[in-house]
Amino acid sequence: MTGAPPDAEPLVAVTEFTDPGCPWAWGSEPVVRLLRTVFGDQLGWRRVFGILFDESDDPAPDPAAEARWYEGFVRDVTAHTGAPRPARLHWLARTSWPASVAAKAAQRQGAEPAERVLRRLRECTFVAGTPADSAAGVAWAVRGIPGLDTDVLRADAASAEARAAVAADHAETRRPCREVRLLDAPGPHPGRAKELADGVRYALPTLLFDGPGGRVCVPGWRPPRAYLDAARTAAGTALRTAGPVRAEAALERWRTLTLPELELLTGDRTPPAGAVELATAHGVLWLHPEEAAGHPALREPHPEAPAAAGSGRARVTGATGLGE
């Protein structure tokens, strides 16, 4: 290994523009986890919640038809990313604000609880099919997250400070850098700045890498190598790198794993022993047993969902394969 000692200040500052309900951001979770596994504390990480679904957006004239359209969009996105998707999206998120404010407020409890909250909010949409787009929905979604004080989160999310922090994120997302305003790139999601009725914003997700080597912008959907190279370029020097981890270690750290995450983090497709396997409409989600105990896809239906929602099917991954 080369580079700075493990206890040094982060060499590269990463800014991630994201939204809990964005399917492209959901599909980019594997590469975000890869970066944080490979480079560790050499990267300083900051999440900016861009608000994909704003409170000022006009409501859909036919919410059921809108949900079916967006369900098809998610199906197309996950065909590119390999991410899980729900058998049915029960409604389209009415606003990104409650989930984003909760994810921002969770950061006050530390990095690990914040990671778990954001992931759970993503999985509410893209595994359970029930977006956490209200205070009640968020409370239902985060219930049972190990290590999270839900009473503290509820109070913090209701604070003016949390709302103001996300309002600042909203504004920052609508000041995209020149590179993405002029971007002309191929691909299903090239990352050009999105034109809005009142301006422009970063495409979600977009990652900015800032370091001694300069700034590198990686917008939209890119292969893992683009992100790894961006971190190295921004560092301007050699970075320490960690190799693949065991599946069980990956599950212990991240709590849930998709197949693309399993492959990127471990270099293998063998699921972690003892994991709870949750089937989705597009692949499997493996859950740590502690995470499975309170996961929204495996408990009673969401309070705002149709009766058919919830009650997912799961089984435990054995040491040598999948078993009952």
Side-chain angles (χ1 to χ4, degrees):
M1 293 185 180
T2 59
D7 58 351
E9 288 295 313
L11 190 59
V12 177
V14 182
T15 304
E16 177 192 359
F17 293 90
T18 191
D19 185 279
C22 172
W24 288 108
W26 165 237
S28 296
E29 284 272 278
V31 79
V32 169
R33 290 180 167 189
L34 178 68
L35 282 167
R36 301 183 82 168
T37 298
V38 169
F39 298 127
D41 57 8
Q42 297 167 107
L43 305 183
W45 209 275
R46 183 172 71 96
R47 284 201 171 97
V48 177
F49 293 99
I51 306 297
L52 181 61
F53 303 107
D54 213 336
E55 292 171 333
S56 60
D57 295 342
D58 293 331
D62 185 342
E66 190 82 352
R68 299 287 69 75
W69 173 84
Y70 200 72
E71 189 177 80
F73 175 67
V74 170
R75 182 170 57 248
D76 292 343
V77 171
T78 57
H80 289 288
T81 66
R85 66 172 180 265
R88 185 171 183 81
L89 182 66
H90 293 283
W91 65 88
L92 178 63
R94 291 158 288 201
T95 170
S96 294
W97 279 90
S100 297
V101 171
K104 180 70 76 173
Q107 295 173 1
R108 298 187 63 178
Q109 296 192 42
E112 190 171 284
E115 289 287 341
R116 294 181 183 181
V117 166
L118 179 56
R119 180 66 172 218
R120 179 70 73 81
L121 293 168
R122 294 197 200 279
E123 290 174 1
C124 268
T125 295
F126 299 111
V127 177
T130 53
D133 58 359
S134 67
V138 168
W140 182 86
V142 303
R143 207 174 77 206
I145 293 180
L148 178 72
D149 189 321
T150 54
D151 290 336
V152 169
L153 178 63
R154 186 180 303 109
D156 287 344
S159 70
E161 291 81 2
R163 173 83 185 193
V166 175
D169 285 1
H170 180 281
E172 184 179 353
T173 307
R174 283 149 184 80
R175 297 190 299 268
C177 61
R178 190 170 185 272
E179 302 98 287
V180 297
R181 288 174 180 258
L182 305 176
L183 184 65
D184 183 14
H189 185 37
R192 185 185 180 102
K194 297 292 183 181
E195 299 288 340
L196 305 175
D198 56 351
V200 293
R201 66 160 170 80
Y202 279 108
L204 305 175
T206 292
L207 271 64
L208 302 181
F209 297 79
D210 288 287
R215 165 170 285 187
V216 183
C217 178
V218 185
W221 174 250
R222 295 289 185 272
R225 177 57 56 187
Y227 297 89
L228 297 170
D229 288 348
R232 293 186 175 106
T233 299
T237 187
L239 292 170
R240 289 176 288 107
T241 58
V245 298
R246 293 176 62 249
E248 290 74 20
L251 186 66
E252 185 65 33
R253 175 177 180 183
W254 297 110
R255 314 303 282 183
T256 72
L257 293 171
T258 65
L259 180 58
E261 289 166 341
L262 184 68
E263 291 178 319
L264 273 184
L265 298 175
T266 72
D268 195 8
R269 296 171 64 95
T270 305
V276 176
E277 179 192 84
L278 175 61
T280 79
H282 191 240
V284 171
L285 182 71
W286 289 282
L287 298 89
H288 190 285
E290 292 179 1
E291 181 69 22
H295 198 276
L298 295 175
R299 63 175 190 245
E300 77 281 1
H302 186 289
E304 298 173 275
S311 304
R313 296 177 58 84
R315 53 184 177 177
V316 177
T317 303
T320 57
L322 300 179
E324 295 298 321

